[in-house]
Tab-separated table of all heavy atoms in Angstrom:
chain	number	residue	atom	x	y	z
A	341	GLU	N	12.265	-36.412	0.251
A	341	GLU	CA	11.699	-36.596	-1.089
A	341	GLU	C	12.359	-37.864	-1.884
A	341	GLU	O	11.683	-38.292	-2.735
A	341	GLU	CB	12.117	-35.243	-1.757
A	341	GLU	CG	13.618	-34.933	-2.002
A	341	GLU	CD	13.751	-33.636	-2.801
A	341	GLU	OE1	13.242	-32.579	-2.279
A	341	GLU	OE2	14.525	-33.732	-3.687
A	342	ASP	N	13.537	-38.141	-1.575
A	342	ASP	CA	14.136	-39.262	-2.256
A	342	ASP	C	13.549	-40.698	-1.871
A	342	ASP	O	13.246	-41.327	-2.802
A	342	ASP	CB	15.614	-39.317	-2.012
A	342	ASP	CG	16.522	-38.263	-2.819
A	342	ASP	OD1	15.808	-37.545	-3.510
A	342	ASP	OD2	17.714	-38.229	-2.699
A	343	ILE	N	13.258	-40.758	-0.614
A	343	ILE	CA	12.503	-42.084	-0.249
A	343	ILE	C	11.140	-42.147	-0.894
A	343	ILE	O	10.783	-43.179	-1.325
A	343	ILE	CB	12.436	-42.128	1.283
A	343	ILE	CG1	13.935	-42.369	1.785
A	343	ILE	CG2	11.618	-43.359	1.703
A	343	ILE	CD1	14.078	-42.316	3.310
A	344	ARG	N	10.447	-40.987	-0.799
A	344	ARG	CA	9.178	-40.962	-1.443
A	344	ARG	C	9.094	-41.288	-2.861
A	344	ARG	O	8.313	-41.980	-3.465
A	344	ARG	CB	8.497	-39.556	-1.217
A	344	ARG	CG	7.095	-39.410	-1.794
A	344	ARG	CD	6.128	-40.276	-1.075
A	344	ARG	NE	4.741	-40.069	-1.589
A	344	ARG	CZ	3.699	-41.045	-1.277
A	344	ARG	NH1	3.922	-41.928	-0.451
A	344	ARG	NH2	2.607	-40.749	-1.678
A	345	ALA	N	10.159	-40.770	-3.607
A	345	ALA	CA	10.374	-41.095	-5.102
A	345	ALA	C	10.966	-42.421	-5.369
A	345	ALA	O	11.168	-42.851	-6.485
A	345	ALA	CB	11.114	-39.993	-5.686
A	346	GLY	N	11.485	-43.100	-4.312
A	346	GLY	CA	12.117	-44.289	-4.483
A	346	GLY	C	13.511	-44.417	-5.025
A	346	GLY	O	14.113	-45.402	-5.478
A	347	ARG	N	14.235	-43.215	-4.864
A	347	ARG	CA	15.494	-43.024	-5.369
A	347	ARG	C	16.682	-43.640	-4.515
A	347	ARG	O	17.722	-43.910	-4.753
A	347	ARG	CB	15.770	-41.585	-5.610
A	347	ARG	CG	15.161	-41.072	-6.937
A	347	ARG	CD	15.669	-39.809	-7.435
A	347	ARG	NE	15.331	-38.628	-6.386
A	347	ARG	CZ	14.272	-37.919	-6.523
A	347	ARG	NH1	13.376	-38.089	-7.606
A	347	ARG	NH2	13.926	-36.933	-5.667
A	348	ILE	N	16.236	-43.648	-3.111
A	348	ILE	CA	17.157	-44.268	-2.250
A	348	ILE	C	16.432	-45.318	-1.367
A	348	ILE	O	15.176	-45.264	-1.256
A	348	ILE	CB	17.877	-43.182	-1.229
A	348	ILE	CG1	16.736	-42.537	-0.367
A	348	ILE	CG2	18.705	-42.129	-2.129
A	348	ILE	CD1	17.291	-41.546	0.531
A	349	LYS	N	17.181	-46.178	-0.638
A	349	LYS	CA	16.616	-47.282	-0.003
A	349	LYS	C	16.008	-46.661	1.262
A	349	LYS	O	16.762	-45.958	1.970
A	349	LYS	CB	17.641	-48.267	0.251
A	349	LYS	CG	17.134	-49.558	0.956
A	349	LYS	CD	18.262	-50.721	1.241
A	349	LYS	CE	17.742	-51.748	1.968
A	349	LYS	NZ	18.844	-52.811	2.220
A	350	PRO	N	14.962	-47.126	1.684
A	350	PRO	CA	14.375	-46.661	3.022
A	350	PRO	C	15.228	-47.093	4.178
A	350	PRO	O	15.766	-48.092	4.255
A	350	PRO	CB	12.924	-47.304	3.110
A	350	PRO	CG	12.658	-47.721	1.804
A	350	PRO	CD	13.876	-47.948	1.032
Side-chain angles (χ1 to χ4, degrees):
E341 64 180 55
D342 283 359
I343 290 175
R344 180 65 177 172
R347 286 191 292 266
I348 64 174
K349 183 179 180 181

